[in-house]
Amino acid sequence: MTSVTPVTPRHREDAQATRDILDPATTAVIATVPEHTAADVHAAVARAKTAFDTGPWPAMVRSERAKLLLRIADAIEANSERLFRLETRNNGRPITETRAQLSRVPEWFRYNAGLLAAQRNAVLPGDGPYLTYQRRQPLGVCGIITPFNHPMLILARSLSAALANGNTVVVKPSELTPLTTLALAEILAETGVPDGVVNVVTGGREAGVALTEHPDVAKITLTGGTEAGRSASVATAARFARMTAELGGKTPVVVFDDVDPVTAAEGAAFAAFIAAGQSCVAGSRFLVQRGIYDKFVDRLAARAKNIRVGDPSESGTQMGPVISARQRDKIVALIRTGADEGARLAAGGPPELPDHLAEGFFVAPTVFADATMDMAVAREEIFGPVAVVVPFDAEADAVAMANDNLYGLGAGVWTTDVARAHRVADAIVAGMVWVNDHHRLEPSLPWGGVKESGIGKDAGTESFDDFSWVKTIVVRTSDSSVDWYGASAETRLN
């Protein structure tokens, strides 16, 4: 495990199990990291608890903690070239995407530093000679479990808020993409984060379960699949720990016939195919009004066919591989299912690749047209570059179809009618709704879904506040004695 230091083996006589980390574009081994066990997680939590109970971090003056968060942001910026190239190699996103995304990571540290510096404690109204006020206290040890698709960005959202509030942290990145998390741990150490405040464990399910079940972990923030979130929720509920979970999604994008179909289709391509569709809010089912349906499908299919799939390290590449053979095979199986169910394949098929990428985990951008809402491709989360287009007639039909799903993380609406935009955005059951855009994020925007897309919020003041607990303090300001049993009722009330 690491404690803002490079990975070190456990002090055991038996050999430390390890895991090879692959480049998903070539399947080459690019690193080997420890496969940490439950015992390693327990040691990391113990270290974080000691740092919280006896270390300087929770007691640090708020302005000093805020300054350190700002230094962390500056250090991430200074290392951005190394970080985005490392993330591209580890998770296969084109370098243009990782450069754009990681360039925004410092914003989360600066935002939460600002919230910390501006934080006020409430004074509460009440009757009688009392001053009642509140103070926020750090939770203690917080566990952060991050996914493979946006390792640095998703970690920064929770880590910056946890640290701002004075908590200590144990991070378990995806077993497939730990490299930028380990690099960030080194940056934190160099920036001056005290030892034991941030700890990283690498490994798979055993490490994740041990972290969610540990009795000394006061909060878990998890981004992952719905079943993993369900298990973690049960574990945290058993000890009344806090839980924030961003889980699955099947994002509906409603396209009305008052928009230009070419503009909407180009926006749809961005919604569906960025990160090779490996995003919980990727536009995956497009509900398109019949008046522009054919033109929209034609343009989206043409755009999909022209996306340059290839080596993610090359600047001209527009889509890289998916993360693993397992994920690729799942996506391909669902594509076959869509064809078997009767959806029309408007774009897709095996991607054309150079020899050195022949073993990589690539899936071509795929568009299914003429789908219906009872098809698996229109209902199940695919988590790959697959867009499913379903026609609709009336606004009410579109809203009903958008909400006809287990998930409720994100949604999109394309229309030039201002009243309709607000009306439909309000009617769709989702934690985030974009109008005439997609994937737009800011540190101030609360992020999280409803239904089986999870609970709680990342980012925004909601996330910042949830990494602390509120203590209410009541101070009696009267100089009269307190003699409940000997005094009159009038005296007791004063």
Side-chain angles (χ1 to χ4, degrees), residues 159-480:
L159 180 62
S160 57
L163 293 180
N165 279 283
N167 300 287
T168 58
V169 176
V170 177
V171 181
K172 194 209 84 69
S174 166
E175 64 272 25
L176 302 175
T177 55
L179 300 186
T180 47
T181 299
L182 294 171
L184 178 60
E186 295 175 350
I187 292 170
L188 296 176
E190 294 166 358
T191 307
V193 175
D195 188 55
V197 171
V198 178
N199 307 269
V200 180
V201 290
T202 54
R205 185 178 185 278
E206 180 182 349
V209 169
L211 186 57
T212 61
E213 293 181 348
H214 200 288
D216 289 330
V217 174
K219 175 174 177 171
I220 288 289
T221 299
L222 179 149
T223 303
T226 296
E227 291 310 310
R230 202 186 311 278
S231 298
S233 295
V234 171
T236 51
R239 64 179 187 279
F240 302 106
R242 296 193 185 189
M243 173 81 178
T244 296
E246 182 204 321
L247 307 175
K250 188 65 176 176
T251 299
V253 178
V254 181
V255 182
F256 288 97
D257 61 9
D258 57 30
V259 299
D260 173 32
V262 172
T263 300
E266 290 171 352
F270 170 67
F273 301 130
I274 201 81
Q278 296 173 114
S279 173
C280 295
V281 292
S284 55
R285 51 188 178 116
F286 294 89
L287 312 177
V288 182
Q289 202 160 21
R290 290 189 191 276
I292 61 169
Y293 180 83
D294 291 335
K295 290 182 179 179
F296 176 92
V297 169
D298 290 345
R299 182 64 178 182
L300 179 59
R303 179 65 78 190
K305 292 172 183 177
N306 288 327
I307 290 175
R308 294 188 295 275
V309 180
D311 188 338
S313 66
E314 295 180 358
S315 60
T317 296
Q318 295 176 316
M319 183 183 293
V322 297
I323 190 62
S324 66
R326 177 182 178 184
Q327 185 66 18
R328 176 199 59 200
D329 294 346
K330 174 192 170 186
I331 296 165
V332 170
L334 279 167
I335 290 172
R336 292 195 186 105
T337 297
D340 291 343
E341 289 177 323
R344 174 168 61 88
L345 188 65
E352 296 182 5
L353 299 164
D355 291 344
H356 74 286
L357 301 179
E359 301 300 318
F361 311 130
F362 290 88
V363 179
T366 301
V367 176
F368 275 117
D370 306 339
T372 58
M373 287 299 300
D374 60 342
M375 294 180 178
V377 288
R379 304 196 67 82
E380 296 181 18
E381 184 178 39
I382 299 175
F383 221 68
V386 181
V388 179
V389 190
V390 182
F392 75 87
D393 293 304
E395 179 182 310
D397 299 330
V399 171
M401 292 161 69
N403 291 335
D404 182 18
N405 198 263
L406 294 174
Y407 300 110
L409 185 57
V413 179
W414 285 78
T415 181
T416 59
D417 184 326
V418 174
R420 171 183 276 166
H422 290 287
R423 187 170 62 244
V424 175
D426 188 57
I428 292 177
V429 181
M432 176 77 76
V433 181
W434 292 278
V435 177
N436 299 334
D437 205 343
H438 211 89
H439 291 300
R440 180 66 184 175
L441 300 178
E442 298 289 344
S444 60
L445 303 183
W447 182 262
V450 294
K451 299 193 287 187
E452 293 201 5
S453 287
I455 56 174
K457 296 291 185 180
D458 272 329
T461 57
E462 289 82 355
S463 174
F464 179 84
D465 289 342
D466 201 48
F467 277 100
S468 64
W469 60 276
V470 176
K471 176 188 292 184
T472 301
I473 300 171
V474 182
V475 181
R476 187 170 182 269
T477 58
S478 173
D479 60 359
S480 63

Side-chain angles (χ1 to χ4, degrees), residues 18-53:
T18 60
R19 178 187 293 266
D20 289 338
I21 305 302
L22 305 183
D23 178 343
T26 64
T27 71
V29 176
I30 55 175
T32 300
V33 300
E35 182 73 8
H36 285 137
T37 66
D40 296 310
V41 172
H42 295 164
V45 173
R47 183 182 299 146
K49 188 174 188 302
T50 298
F52 182 80
D53 292 340

